Amino acid sequence: MILINLKVKIRPERVDEWLEVARQYRADVSAEPGNRYFEWYRDIDDPYTFACVECFIDADAGAAHMGTAHVKQFMDRAPDLVSAQPEIVYVDSPSITGWGAMGEIQPR
């Protein structure tokens, strides 16, 4: 499994455009056969900071993803929308297959 987390800071005057780009990108990536999930989250304290959580089944799916037209289009548009270089956490681990249960919290 490949897990990618991005933190993206958007220019305040471009946030509406960003939302359109981010929605389309999520739809395109989610439709890829090797994608397990793709989600955007907005920071609760900073409305111009977004986090992305995306997961691919394996390295081959990740490589196929990077070769798509929608990745190229996103990479071409994003520099005009971001206010800082995005930060990334990238994990490639064949032993992890998806979400696991958190042991510390359970419903009462």
Side-chain angles (χ1 to χ4, degrees):
M1 180 180 98
I2 294 177
L3 175 67
I4 302 166
N5 293 339
L6 295 176
K7 185 189 287 187
V8 184
K9 293 183 180 282
I10 302 302
R11 296 175 192 192
E13 70 277 10
R14 306 292 295 267
V15 74
D16 290 337
E17 184 180 354
W18 164 257
L19 290 170
E20 291 177 25
V21 169
R23 280 186 186 101
Q24 184 60 55
Y25 189 60
R26 179 186 60 199
D28 292 339
V29 175
S30 295
E32 293 177 31
N35 181 262
R36 289 221 170 167
Y37 51 85
F38 185 107
E39 301 166 3
W40 283 111
Y41 298 94
R42 199 170 200 172
D43 189 291
I44 61 173
D45 294 321
D46 179 357
Y48 307 112
T49 298
F50 294 80
C52 167
V53 179
E54 62 184 308
C55 178
F56 297 91
I57 58 173
D58 57 25
D60 290 339
H65 164 70
M66 291 306 294
T68 63
H70 52 266
V71 167
K72 181 178 180 343
Q73 183 180 23
F74 181 78
M75 298 299 180
D76 287 346
R77 282 207 63 204
D80 296 325
L81 306 175
V82 299
S83 63
Q85 184 173 13
E87 299 174 297
I88 188 170
V89 174
Y90 179 95
V91 177
D92 184 350
S93 177
S95 64
I96 298 172
T97 59
W99 292 97
M102 180 182 172
E104 295 82 5
I105 299 175
Q106 297 180 18
R108 291 185 232 229

